[in-house]
């Protein structure tokens, strides 16, 4: 268009477009903003996602001293229960290993 001297209407016909004013709009945008002005732009509001609540940062409320102690107590109980189960599991594994070694020795002796 710039090199050939074609009009907006002629350019629209060459590119098989019905609306020559769209060519005019694109040309003005190109002159004002450059090639970046012709890039697609996001329009409207973003869509609602199902996990909207998860994305928002939680606002921690100030806990009273009693609530802090209750929370700490709960965490200590959980830690204690976890450690008891871990110890029981480790003891059980040692028992199983001892039992398997004893069984192997009996088979080798036979």
């Amino acid at each position: 268009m710039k090199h050939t001297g074609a009009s907006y209407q002629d350019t629209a016909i060459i590119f098989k477009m019905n609306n020559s004013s769209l060519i005019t709009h694109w040309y003005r945008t190109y002159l004002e903003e450059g090639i970046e002005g012709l890039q697609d732009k996001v329009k409207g509001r973003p869509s609602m996602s199902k996990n909207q609540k998860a994305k928002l940062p939680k606002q921690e409320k100030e806990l009273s001293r009693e609530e802090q102690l209750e929370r700490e107590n709960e965490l200590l109980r959980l830690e204690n229960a976890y450690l008891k189960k871990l110890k029981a599991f480790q003891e059980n594994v040692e028992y199983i290993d001892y039992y398997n070694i004893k069984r192997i020795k009996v088979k080798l002796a036979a």
Side-chain angles (χ1 to χ4, degrees):
M1 192 171 82
K2 185 176 181 181
H3 298 290
T4 61
S7 67
Y8 296 125
Q9 184 67 34
D10 293 338
T11 306
I13 292 171
I14 292 170
F15 289 102
K16 298 178 183 173
M17 298 177 69
N18 295 334
N19 191 356
S20 63
S21 64
L22 188 57
I23 303 278
T24 307
H25 175 70
W26 287 346
Y27 186 69
R28 285 185 188 157
T29 303
Y30 175 75
L31 291 177
E32 292 173 5
E33 300 176 27
I35 195 73
E36 292 82 18
L38 298 176
Q39 299 293 327
D40 287 340
K41 296 178 179 95
V42 178
K43 293 183 179 180
R45 295 179 63 169
S47 62
M48 292 284 291
S49 68
K50 294 179 182 178
N51 297 331
Q52 187 70 13
K53 291 181 181 178
K55 291 181 181 178
L56 297 175
K58 292 182 179 179
Q59 295 180 356
E60 298 291 329
K61 64 175 185 172
E62 190 75 25
L63 297 177
S64 68
R65 179 70 178 145
E66 183 179 340
E67 290 172 331
Q68 289 175 349
L69 292 173
E70 286 175 359
R71 176 71 177 144
E72 183 180 357
N73 198 5
E74 180 184 356
L75 292 174
L76 289 172
R77 283 188 185 128
L78 289 172
E79 182 182 5
N80 192 17
Y82 171 78
L83 292 173
K84 283 181 181 179
K85 287 185 181 187
L86 180 64
K87 182 179 178 185
F89 177 74
Q90 288 172 341
E91 289 173 355
N92 193 20
V93 169
E94 290 169 2
Y95 172 76
I96 291 171
D97 288 342
Y98 172 76
Y99 179 73
N100 287 336
I101 291 171
K102 188 176 178 182
R103 231 177 65 212
I104 292 170
K105 285 182 181 178
V106 169
K107 284 186 179 182
L108 290 176

